[in-house]
Every structure is written in C-alpha cells, then in structure tokens.
C-alpha cells in the first residue's frame, strides 16, 4: 500500500514517541524531531508507511549515534514475555483449539507493547492475556491456515516485534505436520522489531531457522529485501505475516500471505473494511 | 506559554485538516504539507503555539495564492450562527442569571466549529445548544467578571472565530454598566478567525467598536500586535479573552485577563489543571 496524507501527522507523532522512549533530553528530542520533519517532507508517499518510518529511524539512530537505541527495551520485553509464556502455554494446551489459541496469544503479544511501558503492571498484563481468549477474531482464516500448514513443506513466518517473538514461538510449536519453519527477522535494528539476537533470546532457534530479510524497514517491503530472502519468500508453501508493518508492505503482493495482526490505524481500518483495534487473521495477496 | 514538543505532531495534523478544508486536490495538499513540515522544522518552540500556527498558515495562503482561503466557510458560519442567535437570546432572557447564560452561549459558539462542518445538521446544533445551559463551568469567575464590568469605563473583548462572534454580540449585550466596549479582531485573515468584515457581518458594530490587533496570529501575541492595540490593551479596565489561541498567548501576561474558552488540548489541560473539553471562565495574568 501507498502512504496516505493522514499518515504524515502520525509519522511525526510516532517519531516523537520514539525519541521520548530513547532519550529524556528535550533539546536532543527537538533536534531529532526537526530532522525527522525534513525527512518526512522529502519522503515519497507512493511508498508504504514502513519505508518512510525506516527513513525516520535511520535519522534517529544516526543522530543518537546508536545502532540499536531500543536494545535495552527489547531485552526487557523479551524477559517479561518469557515470564508470561508458561501461563499462556498452559491456556493454549487446555484450549479446545490449541492452534487458534496459540494465534490469539501471538496477537496478544503484539498488543502488549512491552517497549512502551516504563512501569510493569502484572495486573494489566494478566488482564490483557485473560482477554486473549475472548476477543473475536475478524475474518478468521485460522482453520484454512491450519490445513495449509498441514500440507506444507516450508512455512515462512515474518516476525514483528521483540518480546512478541516469544509468543510466535508458542504458535510455531502448535504447527501441524512436519514443515520446515523459517522465521524472518529484520536485517538490522529498527525500532523494537525483532532481529537475529532478539529472536535467539526468545528461543526461536529451538522451533525455526532464523533468517534475515536483509533490510531495516519495519515491514517486508519486497523490493528492499535481499535476493536470498526473496528466494525463500517465493518458494515457501505457506507465508505467515505478523503485525501491521508486514501487512502494509505485503498488501496486494504476488503471493498468498496469511496475516495475523491487530489493526492499529484508523485510516487502514477504513480502507480495508476493518475497525480500529480488530484482531485479524486474514489472507492478502494472490497465488 | 511556550510550545511543547507535543504541539509538533498536532501542528502537522492541524495543517492537514486546514488544507483539506480549503482544497480537495490531494497533490496540492501534499505540496502544502511538505512546505508546512519544513516551516515547523524551522520554528522556534519558545514561541506560543499560535505564533507557529500563523507561520504555517502564511505558507498555506501563499501557496494557494489566496489571502483568505476560509472566507466562504466564515460566511457560512456567520449565516448559521445568525439563524441560531434568536433561540439562544430567548434562553438567555429567560435564564436566572442572563449574564452567565450569555457566557455559556459564547462558549457554545466556540464549540460549534461551523467552518469544520461540510454538512449542516440542525439536530446536532440544537443538541449542542441545549447542552450549553447544563455544562459545568470550571473555575467560574463569571460573577467577578460581572462586578468588574459594572465598574469599568472600558472593556476590551478579544474575539476568536467567525460565527462565534455572533454569540459574543449576545454576550456583550448583557454587559452591566455603561462601559465603552471594544472588540478586537485579527489584523488580517488567518484560519477562520474573526476579521473586521466578519465581525461586521455578525453585527458586532452594533454593540462595540471593532478594532484590529494588527497581526495575523490566531491569538493575542502582544509583541506582534500594533502599538495602537497595545495602548488599548494596557488602558482597558477589563479584558475578556475568547478561545484557546488568545489564552495561550496571554498566559502569564502583565494584565489581568478574564479568559472564556473550551480546553481543546490535552497537554495544555494537564499543565494548567484542566481536563480536555472543560468549559472555563478563568483569570490569567497579573495586575
């Protein structure tokens, strides 16, 4: 998808939130914001939002002289997610449909933006995870996905955030059949997106082969990914995309992609027939 | 007050809303937005938000090659407000405290942003005006204002938006005593702020002397106002400020100012002990 004019104020707000999360120095934040505004002014809106967001975060990393300003937050996210995982796994095991239950926790993991929280509230987390089994899933393609995985030789999972990856592991654990599973991470750090090191911390290497998509775009913008990644993308029998960034970059792509996400943007919701906050398991692209 | 970092994404959103209200050409809006982003990047945040907003709107007017892009919307606002005025006046007349009732409609006029509505809903308007008499007034300094006006020789009212000015007229009509009343408008068009022509359309010349503040800043930023205006400002016995733009520019000024407004910004609300959406009749500045 292209970026909309409505994305522009949202980019600026995201940049401010990002700066605030990684530094408390108001002067530094103002400096960063000025440069981000110019970056956004020069951006080509024919590109998907994650491509413009990646340009913003390149500026932020460069200005902070830090290759991974979210590193500490990502570590904390993963630690907290690891503490939550056993209870989630217990619920999944007891569920009538453990595969769908595992999808629900993979979405719940996306909701709990560990990186954004400075104070950890066990109650808040418990509430959110209790909600996980009750939220209606929109356009629920879980059983179609189950059938596809059963028959697949190769399944490619496109990861989203650190921390959340722990729940992707529980999900992959529930895959039927004997497919080879590949878990794609970002080629280098961007925001709190999962990288190779983060995925290992989350234990993804115990259930999948971790591969890089070769870019620092917080999505899967195929023209920017590596040749090696694209080969895997086009050869995989089943592709599962986690999160809105991957969804935005893969809408109308030339492969069938199962998208598991929470709708976090009003404009996107309106244009694609969802509501803000929807939990979605949908299919995009063609095959 | 200074601008906050939180103002920055809000400026961009306001600019987008503004562009959309005055043109439907998406390419033109994108071009405008790019230039506004650069203007905001270069802005000095030590200035109050209306000063930065005025710089944005100068860019928009220049790019659209239009000295008053909101003219048609302002005309419509005034027409609609004039239709509503008799009913409001009837309610004010019947009220236990007509002075406070008139203040309430002067705030209600600020809420109904006629300019923002493409479709006119009589029901919506009636509902809002019915609400006018029920909303609690925060820090209600109406009776203090009443006493001050009773004793005043000169009262200066700082206008806000076109349309809303019609209700300012009903309010001024309820002033006690025999004060000379001056109604300040913007020196030249900016957004839907009331100018000399708009104030005349609203009939303000029947209850007050209309004067210009000499600037195109959507507030009353004293350093930018004309010498003539500042003389009146410092000599008036009572100053009444309408709307958030005037409030933001006059916070901590060296005159006592009665501020009548609805709180439309979360950051401002937090910093000054209000809640978003509060109807306020407060005093700022010193004397």
């Amino acid at each position: 998808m292209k970026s909309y004019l409505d994305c522009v104020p949202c980019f600026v707000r995201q940049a401010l939130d990002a700066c605030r999360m990684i530094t408390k120095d108001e002067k530094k934040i103002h400096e960063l914001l000025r440069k981000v505004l110019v970056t956004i002014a020069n951006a080509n809106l024919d590109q998907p939002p994650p491509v413009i967001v990646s340009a913003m975060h390149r500026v932020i990393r460069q200005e902070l002289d830090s290759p991974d300003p979210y590193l500490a937050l990502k570590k904390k996210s993963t630690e907290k997610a690891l503490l939550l995982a056993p209870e989630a796994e217990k619920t999944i095991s007891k569920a009538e449909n453990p595969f769908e239950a595992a999808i629900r926790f993979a979405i719940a993991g996306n909701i709990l933006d560990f990186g954004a929280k400075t104070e950890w509230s066990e109650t808040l987390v418990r509430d959110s995870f209790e909600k996980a089994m009750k939220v209606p899933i929109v356009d629920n393609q879980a059983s179609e996905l189950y059938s596809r995985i059963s028959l697949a030789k190769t399944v490619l999972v496109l990861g989203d955030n650190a921390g959340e990856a722990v729940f992707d592991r529980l999900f992959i654990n529930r895959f039927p059949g004997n497919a080879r599973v590949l878990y794609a991470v970002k080629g280098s750090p961007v925001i709190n997106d999962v990288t190779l090191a983060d995925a290992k911390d989350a234990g993804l290497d115990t259930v999948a082969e971790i591969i890089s998509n070769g870019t620092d775009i917080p999505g899967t913008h195929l023209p920017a990914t590596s040749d090696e990644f694209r080969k895997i993308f086009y050869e995989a029998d089943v592709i599962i995309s986690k999160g809105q960034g991957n969804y935005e970059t893969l809408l109308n792509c030339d492969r069938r992609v199962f998208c598991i996400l929470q709708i976090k943007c009003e404009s996107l919701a309106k244009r694609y027939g969802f509501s803000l906050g929807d939990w979605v398991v949908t299919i995009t692209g063609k095959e």
Side-chain angles (χ1 to χ4, degrees), chain A:
Chain A
M1 67 177 266
K2 291 180 180 190
S3 295
Y4 306 118
L5 286 169
D6 303 272
C7 297
V8 175
C10 188
F11 290 149
V12 179
R13 190 191 46 71
Q14 277 181 50
L16 177 59
D17 289 349
C19 293
R20 286 221 164 114
M21 226 180 285
I22 49 193
T23 174
K24 296 291 167 218
D25 181 340
E26 292 276 302
K27 269 195 183 170
K28 188 75 211 165
I29 296 172
H30 188 199
E31 259 324 292
L32 278 165
L33 213 49
R34 297 183 105 117
K35 298 205 172 163
V36 166
L37 286 165
V38 175
T39 306
I40 298 172
N42 293 328
N44 173 8
L45 293 191
D46 287 336
Q47 303 172 107
V51 176
I52 299 171
V53 167
S54 72
M56 275 164 40
H57 282 275
R58 270 174 219 153
V59 170
I60 293 173
R61 289 196 300 274
Q62 194 180 326
E63 288 298 308
L64 287 177
D65 197 18
S66 165
D68 194 0
Y70 287 79
L71 186 63
L73 290 162
K74 288 193 294 181
K75 288 260 178 219
K76 191 179 160 195
S77 300
T78 303
E79 280 167 25
K80 296 296 181 182
L82 285 169
L83 287 174
L84 287 165
E87 203 169 328
E89 179 54 37
K90 209 182 283 176
T91 310
I92 293 167
S93 295
K94 285 181 191 162
E96 207 175 308
N97 183 343
F99 180 76
E100 193 190 296
I103 291 182
R104 287 175 168 278
F105 281 99
I107 304 179
N110 181 244
I111 278 174
L112 296 170
D113 196 350
F114 305 118
K117 296 203 194 316
T118 41
E119 284 304 315
W120 191 256
S121 157
E122 287 297 332
T123 323
L124 191 72
V125 170
R126 214 171 301 120
D127 287 355
S128 297
F129 273 74
E130 268 171 26
K131 203 179 120 193
M133 294 302 292
K134 293 168 193 157
V135 177
I137 303 285
V138 176
D139 190 22
N140 193 342
Q141 300 287 341
S143 65
E144 171 70 12
L145 175 58
Y146 188 88
S147 309
R148 292 273 177 157
I149 298 175
S150 305
L151 303 168
K153 283 185 190 154
T154 321
V155 177
L156 171 64
V157 180
L158 310 172
D160 187 16
N161 299 321
E164 181 183 339
V166 170
F167 303 100
D168 295 343
R169 170 164 63 77
L170 304 190
F171 172 42
I172 293 169
N173 252 331
R174 296 286 164 176
F175 281 6
N178 294 298
R180 174 189 172 204
V181 181
L182 297 130
Y183 188 81
V185 298
K186 302 306 179 290
S188 58
V190 60
I191 330 178
N192 59 339
D193 278 41
V194 61
T195 61
L196 179 63
D198 306 319
K200 277 189 180 166
D201 287 347
L204 260 301
D205 52 347
T206 63
V207 296
E209 294 165 46
I210 305 169
I211 61 160
S212 159
N213 74 3
T215 85
D216 68 345
I217 294 168
T220 304
H221 185 54
L222 289 169
T225 56
S226 66
D227 293 345
E228 201 186 334
F229 172 81
R230 277 202 304 280
K231 194 171 179 295
I232 293 165
F233 184 88
Y234 284 106
E235 287 179 0
D237 298 313
V238 176
I239 304 171
I240 300 169
S241 154
K242 286 286 316 285
Q244 191 175 293
N246 285 324
Y247 179 71
E248 288 176 348
T249 40
L250 290 171
L251 264 166
N252 312 316
C253 79
D254 53 357
R255 284 295 320 264
R256 172 194 293 259
V257 179
F258 287 87
C259 296
I260 297 176
L261 71 155
Q262 198 205 353
I263 304 292
K264 293 179 173 173
C265 161
E266 186 86 57
S267 300
L268 181 116
K270 241 187 255 174
R271 273 165 177 103
Y272 296 95
F274 298 114
S275 297
L276 190 65
D278 272 355
W279 288 32
V280 176
V281 180
T282 191
I283 297 170
T284 189
K286 288 169 200 167
E287 204 161 61

